Amino acid sequence: MIVTCVYVHVKTEAAEKFIEATTANHLESIREPGNMRFDFSRQTDDPDRFLIYEVYASEEANAAHKNTPHYLKWRDTVQEMMAEPRKGIRYHLLRPAKA
């Protein structure tokens, strides 16, 4: 399984619109084939920072996500909301192991 942690720092004035756009992306992403998890969190001590935690069953499913209409819309919508470029770090899930 492929895990990606996406760290996002948005402009203060854009935080609520970012939440709206990312919630819409989340609702579509969790319905994708191969999506195991798609969590969206806000940092407790800095409300302008967010974490998107994505888990896909395979490299193919992860790559397919980047070509979905909802992801492309999200990417273009939130581009100008960023206080700095988002950072995605990929991991290979070790535990829990696949069933």
Side-chain angles (χ1 to χ4, degrees):
M1 287 190 267
I2 304 301
V3 174
T4 305
C5 293
V6 182
Y7 300 94
V8 184
H9 181 198
V10 300
K11 299 171 187 170
T12 301
E13 65 275 11
E16 293 308 313
K17 291 218 179 274
F18 177 79
I19 291 169
E20 287 177 29
T22 305
T23 297
N25 184 47
H26 158 83
L27 292 171
E28 293 297 324
S29 296
I30 61 174
R31 297 176 7 191
E32 293 174 30
N35 177 266
M36 310 299 286
R37 253 191 118 81
F38 198 99
D39 298 347
F40 175 42
S41 304
R42 190 176 207 175
Q43 190 170 315
T44 304
D45 63 347
D46 186 345
D48 296 336
R49 294 184 185 270
F50 298 86
L51 168 67
I52 303 168
Y53 180 83
E54 308 172 8
V55 181
Y56 283 89
S58 65
E59 289 283 357
E60 295 78 19
N62 186 63
H65 168 67
K66 299 294 190 282
N67 292 308
T68 60
H70 57 270
Y71 170 78
L72 296 171
K73 179 180 179 181
W74 175 83
R75 181 195 67 192
D76 294 344
T77 300
V78 302
Q79 180 78 20
E80 296 301 316
M81 298 178 190
M82 306 286 171
E84 60 188 88
R86 68 185 183 277
K87 183 176 183 180
I89 300 175
R90 294 191 49 187
Y91 301 86
H92 290 281
L93 187 65
L94 301 176
R95 294 283 181 255
K98 287 189 212 177

